[in-house]
Amino acid sequence: MQQFVEKLLSENRSGFRKGHSCQGILMHLVDSKLRLEKPVEVVDFFTDLSKAFDCLSYKLVISILQAYSFDRTLCMSVANYFTSRQQRVKVGSAPSNWSYLSKGTPPASHFGPFISNVLSYDLLYLIADQYDICNYADDSSICCHGSNVDDVITNLEKASNLMLIWFKENYIQPNSDKSEFILFHNAAQSSDKSMKVGDTILEPLELVKLDRV
């Protein structure tokens, strides 16, 4: 399954893939700015997912595999692997009742990273034609640039809200406490800016002059 999907994945997707480390993503983030003609304003938005593997919907997983042309027998095997799983909690000597699980991958399962890579393909396909997006594991970064910082932030807000809609439609919970953005600015313009992501107002994590990059 991994070999079949590997050829479909973006070069900007790292994590859980041979030859695609966090170093590659960091080099991409830096090189993409070095190639820009100055003066220019650049904003990078970073987001993280909350318990990414625990939020995977079984029905969504099967639908994704079907969309990628995996045959019925394999999809049935995956469905069998996920269904009829139960869990309970125990406090002291008192256990709770058993409850059936409707989402999440088993701990230490290889399937969680695999389906995470497959899901990321859809996200990159949705946004990459308009914005520079890359991700590592469950961390995503969107980059926008232009000559006017207000226009750049407006475009980035559109991209980030498009991503939030995609998260919601795929039952994925973003971790708003770990959402940040960095403004790489032209010294000729004011850099005291904020951006709105969903209902959250973010202040820049750092202001970086492009001549430092």
Side-chain angles (χ1 to χ4, degrees):
M1 293 172 70
Q2 182 67 48
Q3 292 175 350
F4 178 81
V5 168
E6 180 65 27
K7 61 181 180 292
L8 303 174
L9 300 179
S10 168
E11 287 297 313
N12 291 344
R13 166 66 188 184
S14 291
F16 317 124
R17 298 176 67 191
K18 185 177 180 179
H20 293 268
S21 66
C22 58
Q23 182 181 18
I25 289 298
L26 292 173
M27 291 177 63
H28 172 80
L29 291 173
V30 174
D31 289 346
S32 63
K33 294 165 184 59
L34 294 176
R35 291 194 299 267
L36 294 173
E37 295 184 4
K38 300 178 181 62
V40 68
E41 305 289 335
V42 183
V43 182
D44 276 354
F45 171 66
F46 306 94
T47 186
D48 177 73
L49 301 182
S50 179
K51 299 181 179 180
F53 296 161
D54 296 333
C55 295
L56 291 173
S57 163
Y58 300 164
K59 292 183 178 180
L60 176 63
V61 168
I62 301 304
S63 297
I64 289 172
L65 295 178
Q66 290 174 337
Y68 279 83
S69 301
F70 285 103
D71 64 28
R72 185 176 182 275
T73 300
L74 185 140
C75 290
M76 291 292 291
S77 297
V78 172
N80 183 65
Y81 172 72
F82 277 112
T83 53
S84 301
R85 292 177 54 231
Q86 300 181 67
Q87 73 174 17
R88 67 177 180 178
V89 296
K90 186 177 181 181
V91 179
S93 59
S96 68
N97 295 327
W98 288 99
S99 297
Y100 282 97
L101 303 179
S102 60
K103 59 183 181 179
T105 58
S109 165
H110 291 290
F111 200 85
F114 164 77
I115 203 64
S116 176
N117 280 345
V118 175
L119 268 173
S120 74
Y121 173 81
D122 288 348
L123 176 60
L124 268 66
Y125 179 81
L126 175 68
I127 296 180
D129 61 333
Q130 302 179 57
Y131 309 97
D132 184 12
I133 179 172
C134 55
N135 56 26
Y136 180 83
D138 61 345
D139 300 315
S140 297
S141 169
I142 305 177
C143 177
C144 291
H145 61 84
S147 58
N148 182 282
V149 66
D150 292 321
D151 292 340
V152 172
I153 290 180
T154 297
N155 288 334
L156 190 59
E157 288 174 340
K158 292 178 181 179
S160 60
N161 286 311
L162 185 64
M163 184 167 61
L164 290 180
I165 293 173
W166 184 88
F167 286 153
K168 182 178 180 180
E169 291 177 344
N170 288 274
Y171 312 104
I172 297 172
Q173 179 63 48
N175 190 342
S176 58
D177 292 338
K178 292 185 178 181
S179 295
E180 305 283 359
F181 80 96
I182 297 177
L183 175 57
F184 299 85
H185 65 95
N186 175 8
Q189 294 192 12
S190 171
S191 302
D192 185 18
K193 302 293 180 180
S194 62
M195 67 175 289
K196 184 176 182 181
V197 180
D199 297 326
T200 304
I201 302 296
L202 298 178
E203 300 298 330
L205 177 66
E206 186 176 359
L207 303 176
V208 182
K209 289 185 179 181
L210 280 173
D211 56 11
R212 286 173 47 196
V213 176

